[in-house]
């Protein structure tokens, strides 16, 4: 019995703290009875077990909420960082394009190749930033897939242009057999990202100084397969 509880008409009670694993606790689980009751050790054991189960569920719910908070923060960071990167990347792309046009007849061939490599690497970085934004959209269920007519040959050519520097760094060659323009419907940007990722993955696993791809496979073969 507790004198303070008896004032409120409570004659019997059990109180057990709800402990977390780190030693802190959520609160106290109490059972109150206005009638006198004879409590046995079995009653206490059952109540302790019940309090452990409740504490476990509360802690699991807390951990889930923390994971959701961390995930939301990470998603927000990726989105903010990606958007902040797109502005300077766009400026770099425009600047490089203007520089290439204005110096095209004044640069040596090796300097022109260097300029082209810089531009392609800017394009490659821009694709990676777009990948991050696409990931965020997938996570949020807000990915919009564009559907319009486009030429698969252009997509393949652009993907190879973006990865040219990386291919050369690995000492590889990449075989591409393009047919006449092959028009289909879909999202050319998303498909280009897929092709770039496939090429980059292939470069990681092919032996140095080998040809990437299967001879005889052109754009039409990729579509059919």
């Amino acid at each position: 019995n507790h004198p303070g509880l008896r004032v409120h008409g409570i004659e019997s009670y059990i109180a057990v703290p709800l402990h977390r694993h780190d030693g802190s606790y959520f609160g106290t689980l109490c059972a109150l009875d206005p009638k006198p009751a004879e409590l046995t050790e079995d009653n206490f054991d059952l109540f302790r077990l019940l309090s452990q189960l409740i504490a476990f569920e509360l802690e699991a719910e807390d951990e889930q909420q923390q994971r959701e908070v961390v995930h939301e923060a990470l998603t927000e960071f990726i989105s903010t960082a990606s958007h902040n990167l797109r502005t300077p990347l766009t400026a770099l792309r425009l600047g490089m394009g203007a520089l290439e046009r204005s110096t095209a007849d004044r640069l040596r061939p090796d300097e022109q190749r260097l300029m082209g490599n810089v531009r392609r690497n800017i394009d490659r970085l821009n694709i990676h930033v777009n990948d991050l934004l696409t990931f965020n959209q997938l996570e949020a269920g807000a990915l919009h897939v564009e559907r319009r007519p486009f030429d698969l040959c252009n997509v393949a050519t652009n993907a190879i242009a973006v990865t040219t520097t990386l291919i050369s760094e690995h000492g590889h060659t990449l075989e591409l057999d393009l047919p006449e323009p092959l028009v289909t419907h879909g999202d050319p940007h998303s498909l280009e990202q897929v092709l770039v990722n496939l090429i980059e993955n292939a470069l990681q696993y092919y032996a140095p100084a080998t040809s990437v791809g299967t001879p005889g496979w052109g754009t039409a073969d990729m579509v059919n397969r």
Side-chain angles (χ1 to χ4, degrees), residues 125-156:
L125 183 56
N126 190 62
I127 286 178
H128 288 316
V129 170
N130 287 335
D131 281 340
L132 289 175
L133 290 173
T134 300
F135 171 78
N136 265 16
Q137 291 172 339
L138 281 171
E139 287 286 297
L143 179 64
H144 172 69
V145 178
E146 179 186 8
R147 295 187 61 84
R148 61 179 177 84
F150 69 94
D151 184 5
L152 281 171
C153 297
N154 290 338
V155 169

Side-chain angles (χ1 to χ4, degrees), residues 43-141:
N43 296 136
F44 284 103
D45 288 342
L46 179 61
F47 210 69
R48 290 190 191 97
L49 176 61
L50 181 60
S51 68
Q52 291 173 359
L53 291 173
I54 293 175
F56 176 80
E57 289 297 326
L58 290 174
E59 191 162 16
E61 184 176 343
D62 267 5
E63 291 175 353
Q64 177 62 30
Q65 290 176 347
Q66 290 174 7
R67 285 193 294 269
E68 290 175 357
V69 169
V70 171
H71 181 268
E72 289 177 3
L74 178 60
T75 300
E76 180 64 25
F77 170 77
I78 292 174
S79 178
T80 301
S82 300
H83 282 292
N84 288 342
L85 283 170
R86 293 185 77 176
T87 300
L89 279 175
T90 300
L92 281 172
R93 292 176 68 189
L94 293 174
M96 283 300 301
L99 189 60
E100 282 183 303
R101 290 190 296 272
S102 64
T103 61
D105 56 348
R106 288 180 285 166
L107 296 180
R108 300 190 308 269
D110 59 325
E111 293 174 331
Q112 292 178 356
R113 286 193 297 271
L114 179 61
M115 293 278 287
N117 286 340
V118 172
R119 176 179 48 77
R120 284 189 289 271
N121 277 286
I122 292 173
D123 290 339
R124 181 183 170 196
L125 183 56
N126 190 62
I127 286 178
H128 288 316
V129 170
N130 287 335
D131 281 340
L132 289 175
L133 290 173
T134 300
F135 171 78
N136 265 16
Q137 291 172 339
L138 281 171
E139 287 286 297

